[in-house]
Amino acid sequence: MRREFKEPGRPRPDLVIGREELFAGAREQLSRGGSVLVHGSAGIGKSTVLRALAAEFDETARTVLRCSATESESHLPFLALTDLLGLVVDEVSDQLPAPQRTALESALTGRGESTLQRDGLALRLAVLSTLRALAAKGPVLIVADDLQWLDPASVELLGFAARRLGEMPVRMLCAVRTSTDPHGHEQDRYLRASPPDTLALRVTPLSRTHVADLLENRGYTGLPRSTVRDIHHTSGGNPLFALELGRALADSPTPPRPGEPLPVPTSLRTLVLNRLDMLSAEARHTLLVACSGARPTVALLRAAGRENAEAETAQAVELGLLAPEREGPGVRFAHPLVSAALYAEATAQERRAAHAALSTAAVDPIERARHLALATQGTDPQVAGQLGEAAAVARDRGAPSVAAELGLLSARHTPADATPGPDERRLQAAEDALTAGENDLGRDIAREVLSRATEPAERVRAWMVVIDAAGQSLAEVDAVYPEVLADAGDDPRLLALVRYQLAWRALVLEGDFAEGREEAARAAELAARADDRRTELLALAFQAQAEILMGHPDAPMTIKRALREPQDPQLACHHNGAGATRFRWLMMSDQLGEARATITSLLREVRRRGMVESEVHYVRFLAETELRSGHCGRALDLAREGYVLARDSGIGEGASAMLTSLAEAAGGDVERAQALAREAAEHAEQDGDLMYLSRALGALGHARLVAGDASGTVQSLRRVRELEEGLGVTDPARGRWHGDLAEALVRVGELAEAQDVIDVTRQQALRLGRESVLAVLDRAEALVRAAQGEQDAAVRQLTSAQDRLAKLGYGLEEARAAYALAGLRTLPQAHGLARPGGTSATASYDEASRLFRRCRALPWLRQVEQATVAPAPPQQPAIAPSALDALAVLAATERQVAELVMEGATNREIAGRLYISVKTVEATLTRVYRKLGIRSRVDIVRLAAGHRTN
């Protein structure tokens, strides 16, 4: 009976933000006729999920029964039953036995005195019979929201029927509120009122990225990422709470300053204030002190003067305001919103008093300084100095976000005539914000300083923050460069900073590596003259990177200059520093082991320092290293992790999408790979970033190749070739797309162009010593030779390429060579010819399968499986010698196609074996017919048997 359910449509995307996995499970369950119970805390989105699922599946059912209730209606007996059956009972009432019909009508209409005690069995059987009668006419879908408020009588009747539905085409789609404890099992009692095979799915809090998407979707645009972070924290990932907080911010005339909480609207405060009113004034004061601290404990509360903290926090636990701490002495609020609402309700004087108490009780110097600042009004040089020292401690601890907050508090309390001044402290806070990945906060601080600063050094420093905050989107700040140069004047220290930024502009916006290299060299010279080692190191690292990509002979020497002492400890691990440049050199020079060790060490250090932007880049670099090494599963995990981090921080989203596309094509979902590559290309085009546009299109071409779209691959990679020629990129190890383009060109029958790509790239690779690139080019050239009929030479070349790739440690490329080799070795078998080494085609595919499996290269492994399970062509008589003589007039490719037709191969099979498109096969056959004077494939088969056509 379950097969009666149809495949549903799809919901609106704005209804399912962050719920992809939940929907996948629910769809699978409902599609096979099962039932679903979604559960979670208040406001978490259960009803939204329920409505979206119901909208998908209501068209698959003949009858849809709905009910919902509120807390105030839960005492009314049979109300939910009336909602469900009131409008449909007349369809089937004549099929019910008289006692059942009477009991059901009495319960639904309220006439009579029907109760579960008096008519229990009759009512139970009536509901079951009604559902059976409706199901006999077609599938039934029951949609019940807020099960916790349904009247007990209706729940009992539904449960009785649900447990007895058996194989009837009746599904239940229900939602119920449960606690925030993910380990709770409140849903179990509701499962007892559901069909036995019901799947319980918990609706979990949204991630920060999904909260950002939700706010954007509902029109709360332009919020700084730091504000979105605060909304996510305060809401606990609850979409209802997040939207209310977003609305409150939109309605607020001034945004909260750093260190201040978000405005909590009355609609959310009322969710907890009624419970707060049940606390004593002293207990409420204790909770205010607790919510003012970062990591409150009972001991800290006692030290802050709350003598009865233990008893008062125990009372709050009983009221559900605090969560019981099973491990350790911490005081934890049941939900961040409780803390936010309590703090918002307090007066400014009460807040300052709480912070003053904590400023003496806290042990950590950072916490003491923060509380002192929030307890102090007006400027105070002593407080400002303590905050500045605390910011430095936070910076050294690897907490740049905390350092930025403390720096801004320090600036607020710094007198205008102090040294350092308030704007100097603000600029340090802006730089800390950039380190923490909060680019929008850093940009806004710098813009504020620029609105009043007159000193050239302060202005140039602020401009550097504005430009750095733009990331790859340098087109957004392109107009500021003349102003920055004017502010720098002839000061070599300031000019070095500006020239370094102009080097990036030349590379990203102009796509001119030569100009970028010259600007970087000029910046390094100016910085050395000004004794500014940090800027000199940045400029040398950039110069080396440009020289690597250009294939410039000075690259190794420039890297050595950038690695000389003295080094800046933070810059040494920065993603634009010499360490990162050396990593790129190692990767391009096929030193995968050392590259992995280098990037692992760099990633560990930036995580210790809290350098979020560098972490985004290094996670991507490590994923690339694993991908090149053939560890596709590990690469995919890292790439996905980096992609989420990039989206959360708003840093390097296009680059992370590009690398994740490559990882998906190697070890995940090919369709997802193509979508990510297109996303990366869109980012690059929006940013005007030609360098990453070529990388994104390279990833798209590769994904299309894995998907079997050879013509699409050619289209993408031809554009990459044009872009890189314009950019001046001559090192083929940068994008490694050349072998893919040549292979795709073979598949579409463009052999001359494929050989040209191979020849040009081989010259560059030989000059630079790129061994892995040369091996991949040999693999592609073997396919060209096979398409030209030089099969023995092709097999030898492929075998050599596979061996070299294995020695270099390129596991996936080695497996691809084995797969191509297995494909070629199927051709001689059809002629009954011996294979080199006596290896069978099955054994060759087994080798490719083993290598792909070792790499966890699932998309490639599926291709091998399809090749090995494809039905063998029917046995044909041996080709007559006269037929082979007749084919002598044909070109190499034409002869191969004709011979495969003689063997009984279809056009698609021929295309697969020869790595060409079906259209190319058809065009080739047309030429074959003309040259041989025949009309069809049937005539070619007759030739194979030695018969001439008339």
Side-chain angles (χ1 to χ4, degrees):
M1 295 293 288
R2 294 173 184 268
R3 63 180 178 274
E4 296 182 29
F5 293 111
K6 303 172 185 176
E7 181 68 21
R10 288 289 180 263
R12 287 165 44 205
D14 62 316
L15 296 179
V16 294
I17 290 174
R19 307 299 186 198
E20 292 79 8
E21 289 187 15
L22 184 147
F23 265 80
R27 286 190 187 106
E28 182 180 353
Q29 175 76 353
L30 291 167
S31 293
R32 60 186 179 84
S35 296
V36 171
L37 174 72
V38 294
H39 64 98
S41 56
I44 201 67
K46 303 179 302 298
S47 296
T48 299
V49 168
L50 195 75
R51 286 195 297 271
L53 284 170
E56 281 192 62
F57 283 87
D58 60 2
E59 294 181 1
T60 71
R62 177 187 179 274
T63 305
V64 180
L65 308 176
R66 302 175 187 271
C67 70
S68 184
T70 62
E71 185 175 9
S72 62
E73 300 169 341
S74 59
H75 67 286
L76 299 173
F78 306 125
L79 181 63
L81 188 67
T82 302
D83 287 344
L84 286 171
L85 302 180
L87 297 178
V88 298
V89 70
D90 289 344
E91 288 185 36
V92 296
S93 61
D94 58 343
Q95 301 175 39
L96 304 182
Q100 294 180 24
R101 184 168 58 251
T102 300
L104 184 60
E105 288 176 352
S106 178
L108 295 179
T109 62
R111 295 190 294 271
E113 299 178 356
S114 181
T115 65
L116 276 180
Q117 287 73 26
R118 199 176 72 125
D119 300 320
L121 181 58
L123 267 176
R124 289 176 173 86
L125 292 174
V127 173
L128 179 60
S129 298
T130 299
L131 292 177
R132 282 177 172 163
L134 290 170
K137 299 182 177 183
V140 176
L141 176 65
I142 299 173
V143 182
D145 198 3
D146 283 319
L147 281 184
Q148 74 277 3
W149 303 135
L150 264 59
D151 62 278
S154 296
V155 172
E156 165 61 24
L157 292 170
L158 269 179
F160 176 87
R163 292 188 293 273
R164 292 163 177 80
L165 290 174
E167 290 298 313
M168 288 188 298
V170 178
R171 292 171 295 182
M172 292 182 68
L173 177 55
C174 307
V176 63
R177 179 186 300 179
T178 52
S179 70
T180 57
D181 183 2
H183 304 295
H185 297 283
E186 298 172 64
Q187 69 275 11
D188 289 351
R189 66 190 181 96
Y190 295 101
L191 284 171
R192 289 192 287 272
S194 305
D197 65 345
T198 299
L199 175 65
L201 295 170
R202 184 174 189 83
V203 186
T204 56
L206 297 175
S207 68
R208 188 197 304 183
T209 300
H210 291 137
V211 166
D213 291 343
L214 178 68
L215 292 167
E216 184 85 13
N217 184 267
R218 297 302 175 88
Y220 301 119
T221 58
L223 293 174
R225 290 186 181 273
S226 53
T227 301
V228 173
R229 178 199 62 198
D230 292 342
I231 290 175
H232 176 255
H233 170 73
T234 303
S235 68
N238 185 300
L240 173 64
F241 299 169
L243 288 172
E244 286 296 296
L245 290 168
R247 182 182 61 78
L249 276 171
D251 294 342
S252 176
T254 56
R257 295 185 298 181
E260 292 183 345
L262 295 173
V264 180
T266 305
S267 60
L268 295 185
R269 294 189 201 183
T270 54
L271 293 175
V272 295
L273 291 183
N274 58 341
R275 284 178 285 168
L276 286 173
D277 290 340
M278 300 171 69
L279 289 172
S280 65
E282 290 299 310
R284 185 164 178 157
H285 192 178
T286 296
L287 288 193
L288 176 60
V289 175
C291 75
S292 301
R295 294 176 297 276
T297 63
V298 172
L300 177 66
L301 294 176
R302 286 202 201 98
R306 310 310 303 164
E307 297 178 357
N308 298 318
E310 193 164 5
E312 289 162 354
T313 55
Q315 182 187 1
V317 170
E318 291 178 2
L319 291 172
L321 295 167
L322 294 179
E325 281 292 340
R326 300 181 179 89
E327 302 175 2
V331 174
R332 183 168 60 90
F333 284 88
H335 191 280
L337 188 62
V338 177
S339 172
L342 177 61
Y343 196 89
E345 274 296 295
T347 65
Q349 184 177 356
E350 289 173 332
R351 294 180 194 175
R352 286 196 296 272
H355 287 296
L358 287 168
S359 69
T360 59
V363 176
D364 186 87
I366 292 177
E367 278 298 291
R368 285 201 306 271
R370 175 178 172 275
H371 289 303
L372 181 61
L374 294 174
T376 304
Q377 290 182 290
T379 60
D380 186 320
Q382 184 178 357
V383 172
Q386 290 185 25
L387 284 164
E389 292 172 3
V393 172
R395 200 175 301 118
D396 291 341
R397 287 183 183 177
S401 180
V402 175
E405 179 186 342
L406 293 170
L408 288 174
L409 288 172
S410 176
R412 188 188 307 171
H413 292 289
T414 300
D417 57 352
T419 303
D423 279 345
E424 187 173 349
R425 294 192 186 278
R426 287 187 181 94
L427 288 174
Q428 179 61 64
E431 290 164 357
D432 287 330
L434 293 187
T435 302
E438 298 180 9
N439 288 5
D440 47 2
L441 176 60
R443 179 200 60 228
D444 292 346
I445 296 170
R447 289 284 189 186
E448 180 190 349
V449 171
L450 283 167
S451 67
R452 56 176 174 268
T454 57
E455 287 294 323
E458 278 192 351
R459 290 188 61 81
V460 170
R461 187 179 177 186
W463 282 123
M464 294 303 101
V465 172
V466 171
I467 294 171
D468 284 339
Q472 298 294 118
S473 306
L474 289 181
E476 297 177 2
V477 294
D478 194 36
V480 310
Y481 290 100
E483 192 169 351
V484 184
L485 279 169
D487 284 334
D490 57 2
D491 186 323
R493 178 183 293 269
L494 300 181
L495 277 174
L497 289 169
V498 180
R499 290 296 171 192
Y500 173 68
Q501 294 293 355
L502 286 171
W504 277 107
R505 180 188 178 279
L507 181 63
V508 174
L509 291 185
E510 302 296 332
D512 192 331
F513 279 82
E515 183 182 347
R517 175 182 177 272
E518 290 174 8
E519 288 286 10
R522 197 177 310 169
E525 181 184 344
L526 287 165
R529 199 191 321 162
D531 198 24
D532 180 0
R533 181 61 173 162
R534 187 177 190 281
T535 302
E536 182 186 9
L537 290 170
L538 281 170
L540 286 172
F542 181 98
Q543 182 183 342
Q545 182 180 345
E547 288 172 351
I548 290 169
L549 296 174
M550 295 169 66
H552 197 286
D554 290 348
M557 183 59 67
T558 307
I559 293 174
K560 288 180 181 178
R561 288 175 60 199
L563 289 171
R564 286 176 191 159
E565 296 294 339
Q567 289 286 323
D568 180 302
Q570 185 173 20
L571 189 58
C573 61
H574 192 274
H575 62 278
N576 286 328
T581 302
R582 180 173 176 272
F583 160 78
R584 293 185 181 94
W585 173 260
L586 291 169
M587 283 288 288
M588 297 173 76
S589 303
D590 299 325
Q591 300 178 61
L592 296 181
E594 193 171 349
R596 181 185 292 104
T598 299
I599 199 62
T600 301
S601 175
L602 289 169
L603 178 58
R604 186 185 306 115
E605 182 63 15
V606 298
R607 281 175 169 165
R608 186 186 72 80
R609 291 176 174 270
M611 298 167 65
V612 175
E613 184 173 6
S614 293
E615 181 182 0
V616 170
H617 290 288
Y618 288 163
V619 170
R620 185 175 77 250
F621 291 170
L622 182 56
E624 183 179 0
T625 308
E626 299 294 353
L627 189 59
R628 298 292 175 213
S629 303
H631 305 151
C632 300
R634 172 71 173 147
L636 184 57
D637 290 342
L638 283 166
R640 287 172 174 172
E641 174 190 340
Y643 180 66
V644 171
L645 182 60
R647 287 204 64 196
D648 281 348
S649 62
I651 297 168
E653 292 180 73
S656 293
M658 176 273 298
L659 196 281
T660 309
S661 169
L662 292 172
E664 290 282 358
D669 185 307
V670 179
E671 289 186 8
R672 172 78 173 144
Q674 294 185 67
L676 284 165
R678 291 188 183 96
E679 178 187 326
E682 288 172 7
H683 274 290
E685 287 187 310
Q686 289 170 4
D687 296 340
D689 188 342
L690 298 178
M691 183 172 64
Y692 263 108
L693 178 59
S694 71
R695 295 295 306 273
L697 290 173
L700 179 59
H702 179 73
R704 285 173 164 173
L705 182 72
V706 179
D709 180 8
S711 59
T713 301
V714 170
Q715 178 185 2
S716 297
L717 297 186
R718 275 176 175 164
R719 190 178 176 199
V720 175
R721 192 181 189 188
E722 293 171 2
L723 281 170
E724 292 204 351
E725 286 175 355
L727 289 167
V729 176
T730 60
D731 194 330
R734 184 237 182 190
R736 297 178 181 269
W737 47 266
H738 313 76
D740 285 348
L741 175 56
E743 182 175 334
L745 287 166
V746 172
R747 292 190 185 184
V748 299
E750 298 289 347
L751 303 185
E753 185 181 349
Q755 189 63 54
D756 178 66
V757 170
I758 292 166
D759 292 341
V760 171
T761 309
R762 181 177 281 133
Q763 289 181 1
Q764 297 166 342
L766 283 169
R767 178 174 61 85
L768 298 169
R770 302 298 187 235
E771 292 298 327
S772 63
V773 174
L774 290 168
V776 168
L777 291 173
D778 279 354
R779 186 184 68 202
E781 189 171 51
L783 299 178
V784 175
R785 288 185 168 184
Q788 293 171 338
E790 303 173 28
Q791 185 158 341
D792 289 344
V795 168
R796 286 193 298 271
Q797 193 170 16
L798 267 177
T799 303
S800 171
Q802 181 183 343
D803 291 343
R804 287 152 56 204
L805 288 166
K807 289 175 183 177
L808 290 168
Y810 285 78
L812 182 56
E813 300 295 351
E814 174 196 358
R816 286 181 60 182
Y819 179 46
L821 191 58
L824 290 189
R825 282 175 168 165
T826 60
L827 294 177
Q829 184 182 32
H831 298 286
L833 301 177
R835 244 173 236 103
T839 305
S840 69
T842 302
S844 297
Y845 276 122
D846 286 346
E847 171 72 358
S849 179
R850 180 184 68 80
L851 292 173
F852 281 134
R853 190 172 289 107
R854 183 184 69 181
C855 294
R856 266 193 62 193
L858 302 182
W860 289 102
L861 191 58
R862 282 190 284 270
Q863 289 192 32
V864 175
E865 291 171 350
Q866 290 171 2
T868 54
V869 301
Q875 291 294 322
Q876 297 290 334
I879 301 175
S882 58
L884 295 176
D885 292 340
L887 300 183
V889 299
L890 302 178
T893 302
E894 295 167 350
R895 181 185 178 95
Q896 283 183 298
V897 170
E899 288 176 354
L900 288 171
V901 170
M902 290 176 176
E903 297 161 17
T906 66
N907 285 6
R908 185 170 298 278
E909 288 168 346
I910 295 169
R913 292 191 191 184
L914 299 183
Y915 293 90
I916 60 179
S917 69
V918 174
K919 287 185 178 179
T920 302
V921 174
E922 293 169 350
T924 304
L925 279 175
T926 300
R927 294 196 299 272
V928 169
Y929 299 156
R930 185 174 64 251
K931 288 184 178 181
L932 296 182
I934 58 179
R935 300 187 187 88
S936 68
R937 295 170 61 94
V938 175
D939 293 336
I940 293 181
V941 174
R942 288 176 178 168
L943 272 178
H947 301 298
R948 299 298 301 177
T949 57
N950 295 323

